[in-house]
Amino acid sequence: MPHPHLPARLSACAARHRPWCLAIGGTATAAGAIACQWPAFGHSPLAATLNVVVALAFALTAAMLNGEESLGSVTAALVLGGLLWPLSWTAGWDAGPSALVSTFAYTHFWVCLGWGVLRYPTGRLQNNGERVLLGVAVLVIPLANLGLIGIGRPEWFGYSGHPDVWWYGEPIGHGAFDAVVWTLDGLTLVLAAAFLLVVRGRLRRYSELDRRIFRPVALALLLAFVLASTVNFFVYNPSDADIGPEFVAISLTLLTIPLAFAAAVLRRVFVRARIAQLLATLPTPPAVRAVRAALRAALHDDSAEIYLWLPGEDHHVDADGAVRPPPPPGAAELVMTLRTATGAPLAVIAAAPAMRRNRDLVEAAVRASALALENAQLHATVAAQLDAVRASRARLVEAGLHERRRLERDLHDGAQQRLLALATRLGLARTKATDPDTISAIEAAREDLRHALADLRSLARGIHPAVLSQGGLRPALEVVTAALPVEVELDVPVARFEAVLEAGAYYTICEALTNTVKHAGASRARVAVRHDDGIVRIDVTDDGKGGATAVEGGGLAGLDDRVRALGGALVIVSPSGGGTRLTASIPC
């Protein structure tokens, strides 16, 4: 059995000097192939030339595969195939050990191909069934073939019976020999069918990327095996210098095997290029979901997942933003840890277990996505901090609203009730007083008290109107607009909103109408409130002189701060002489 790897020093040297290896190996292979089948060039020059091309294709593809980690397991098989195929045609010399060498090389060639393919792409056989299949193939094809020489005659194998042909053993009866041959032919077909089933099962278990790489190789090899098994019923192996069309067909089929392996190498190169291309087209700033989509597309693995580390929160999130711990290092998935340039945790990338066979491609994808993930981590951290700021700001707004309500209740239940009690006492004192000066003083005090109560009620409404809590936004605005010196049209739904939003909208509209009355010189104004797709849109328009601008410390700047505190945005359109339109969009 061939050794799975070339010697380490020879392999490293060949990888460093690949052009020289291609030139020297190609020249040596061509020269050896021509020498092995020199007599065939006189009888079948085109077929002999094709065999030289086949030997060259195997040798050159092996040199090209050397250094490819995931495909290096078949390098030795291709090297041996490039040597054994031309040796199969030494039968054309029809003298000396040519028959033995040809039989040995031809039969071992097929076992060598099967051995190399079964070791793809992990560098080892997968289970005991494959080991048994390979062992039986060795017994049935090379060993039985060599055993047939010991019980047959040269002419039974198609040789001319030249006396200089080396032979061994004693022949048996021709009928018994034919029975043995037919039995071995049948076993060969069974082995070919079993190999087909093994390869089919392999393809089903492979990842999509492995299937794309291995499918052309498997197809070419299966065609070669079926064709060789069929030809074996008529011509057991090459036996003279005249190369028949059946062997030409086998050679043409065999030529596709090294070409398929070369295509596999190119496909892996294209995968690396595709990884770089997909990651180069990521949006800015890159979202983790976009990086995951690029990885899945490049690796053809829909189960690949990215677990991004958020340093400020000390946990991982998946590409969808959900808090989710990554698989442990000993999990069935291929798990790779990624760190930043400073060595800090960045992300954990998990891929399907089948991607272990393409770890080099996954590593290339991980390296290519490192910068994008680092940017995504920074973006996610900033977004998380921004969300925290927004949540904190929302809590402050809600706390302010709660405090307004408390002040309004304290004024209503405390100071206002005391003043009403005082008014009652003054009324009683008025009924009992008889002195005109005293009566006059009490009446003046009662008048001052009425003004104080009115001011207190106005102050309470300004802090937080009770009608807003009890009736909602529209009734509260009706009370406000009824007291304004300009006509205001209200287009406000009677539906209730959450308390913080109602309060924010109320004070925003009140401040906008106050600016209209003080500065716009308008005769009409309109207030419209709409709720659509989780956004409350507020429009306040007037027919005033326009030209309103937000200045630091001004009313419009305060309006902008109020809307932003609710997570919304404010837009002011106020052309000179064309009125003012204020639009606030506040998320629910």
Side-chain angles (χ1 to χ4, degrees):
M1 297 296 294
H3 195 275
H5 299 291
L6 292 174
R9 290 187 178 180
L10 178 60
S11 178
C13 180
R16 284 197 306 270
H17 306 288
R18 197 182 304 273
W20 283 102
C21 289
L22 291 172
I24 297 173
T27 302
T29 301
I34 292 172
C36 287
Q37 55 180 345
W38 182 253
F41 280 94
H43 297 82
S44 308
L46 292 179
T49 302
L50 178 60
N51 285 332
V52 174
V53 173
V54 171
L56 270 174
F58 273 93
L60 296 181
T61 301
M64 185 172 64
L65 290 180
N66 184 40
E68 278 286 334
E69 180 182 352
S70 59
L71 295 178
S73 59
V74 298
T75 302
L78 291 176
V79 170
L80 290 173
L83 296 176
L84 292 174
W85 184 248
L87 286 174
S88 303
W89 300 97
T90 54
W93 290 94
D94 201 20
S98 61
L100 301 179
V101 173
S102 175
T103 301
F104 177 88
Y106 186 76
T107 53
H108 275 76
F109 172 78
W110 296 104
V111 176
C112 181
L113 282 186
W115 169 84
V117 170
L118 288 179
R119 293 178 66 87
Y120 175 91
T122 61
R124 62 181 183 275
L125 300 178
Q126 299 295 309
N127 51 54
N128 290 330
E130 294 182 0
R131 296 183 182 90
V132 170
L133 175 62
L134 196 60
V136 173
V138 172
L139 291 174
V140 172
I141 300 177
L143 297 182
N145 234 324
L146 293 174
L148 281 179
I149 294 178
I151 61 173
R153 295 180 180 276
E155 55 269 22
W156 295 353
F157 286 85
Y159 294 99
S160 62
H162 194 283
D164 292 334
V165 173
W166 292 6
W167 212 256
Y168 56 82
E170 293 293 332
I172 62 175
H174 197 279
F177 177 82
D178 286 343
V180 173
V181 168
W182 281 102
T183 301
L184 291 178
D185 288 346
L187 289 175
T188 303
L189 281 179
V190 171
L191 286 173
F195 187 84
L196 184 150
L197 293 176
V198 168
V199 172
R200 182 185 178 189
R202 283 264 189 114
L203 284 172
R204 287 182 174 180
R205 295 193 302 270
Y206 283 164
S207 65
E208 179 61 25
L209 180 60
D210 275 331
R211 280 196 293 269
R212 287 172 176 263
I213 292 175
F214 183 66
R215 192 180 289 118
V217 177
L219 180 61
L221 189 65
L222 289 175
L223 288 176
F225 274 21
V226 171
L227 184 59
S229 301
T230 305
V231 170
N232 193 54
F233 275 94
F234 307 100
V235 183
Y236 205 61
N237 59 282
S239 56
D240 56 36
D242 187 10
I243 302 175
E246 65 279 1
F247 285 107
V248 174
I250 292 177
S251 298
L252 287 173
T253 306
L254 288 175
L255 187 59
T256 62
I257 295 176
L259 294 180
F261 273 114
V265 175
L266 293 177
R267 186 178 289 275
R268 294 176 69 83
V269 173
F270 292 152
V271 169
R272 290 190 179 94
R274 179 173 172 77
I275 291 171
Q277 179 185 9
L278 288 173
L279 293 173
T281 57
L282 289 175
T284 302
V288 183
R289 185 178 297 180
V291 179
R292 181 184 65 181
L295 285 175
R296 289 180 173 181
L299 299 175
H300 302 283
D301 178 14
D302 291 335
S303 67
E305 185 58 81
I306 297 175
Y307 302 88
L308 190 69
W309 173 254
L310 296 182
E313 303 181 23
D314 294 335
H315 59 69
H316 288 89
V317 295
D318 62 16
D320 297 319
V323 177
R324 188 175 164 193
E333 297 93 338
L334 172 60
V335 180
M336 303 186 69
T337 302
L338 192 60
R339 295 185 174 273
T340 64
T342 60
L346 176 57
V348 173
I349 296 179
M355 292 305 297
R356 294 180 187 275
R357 293 189 289 267
N358 294 290
R359 189 182 183 93
D360 58 327
L361 292 179
V362 180
E363 288 178 347
V366 169
R367 288 194 299 269
S369 60
L371 180 60
L373 286 176
E374 201 163 348
N375 291 335
Q377 183 191 55
L378 180 60
H379 179 69
T381 302
V382 172
Q385 292 173 348
L386 182 59
D387 289 341
V389 170
R390 287 173 176 167
S392 176
R393 188 167 58 184
R395 288 192 296 270
L396 289 175
V397 171
E398 190 168 357
L401 176 61
H402 176 75
E403 189 63 23
R404 281 175 175 270
R405 286 176 173 173
R406 187 188 65 80
L407 288 174
E408 188 271 334
R409 286 195 301 268
D410 289 347
L411 289 175
H412 181 273
D413 299 337
Q416 189 172 335
Q417 294 304 319
R418 289 179 179 275
L419 290 177
L420 287 173
L422 179 59
T424 302
R425 290 186 178 184
L426 287 175
L428 290 173
R430 169 66 179 82
T431 60
K432 294 179 180 180
T434 56
D435 182 58
D437 293 336
T438 302
I439 294 173
S440 177
I442 291 174
E443 288 294 341
R446 292 180 68 186
E447 184 66 22
D448 290 341
L449 184 58
R450 280 195 297 272
H451 288 298
L453 277 171
D455 291 342
L456 188 61
R457 290 191 183 100
S458 178
L459 177 62
R461 283 196 301 270
I463 292 175
H464 190 84
V467 68
L468 179 64
S469 301
Q470 297 167 4
L473 183 60
R474 182 180 179 90
L477 290 177
E478 288 175 347
V479 172
V480 171
T481 56
L484 294 179
V486 297
E487 182 181 350
V488 180
E489 177 187 354
L490 288 179
D491 184 8
V492 180
V494 295
R496 298 298 302 269
F497 303 105
E498 53 187 48
V500 174
L501 181 59
E502 277 188 343
Y506 172 81
Y507 291 116
T508 298
I509 294 171
C510 288
E511 182 68 26
L513 291 175
T514 299
N515 287 336
T516 297
V517 172
K518 287 183 177 180
H519 307 295
S523 60
R524 294 177 59 85
R526 185 175 186 276
V527 176
V529 178
R530 292 287 182 270
H531 181 204
D532 187 24
D533 292 334
I535 299 293
V536 172
R537 178 187 173 95
I538 301 170
D539 283 310
V540 180
T541 57
D542 64 51
D543 60 355
K545 60 184 179 181
T549 57
V551 296
E552 187 175 356
L556 293 179
L559 268 178
D560 186 61
D561 292 339
R562 184 187 298 278
V563 173
R564 287 182 181 275
L566 295 171
L570 182 70
V571 177
I572 301 172
V573 179
S574 183
S576 181
T580 299
R581 183 185 186 94
L582 181 147
T583 302
S585 300
I586 304 174
C588 292

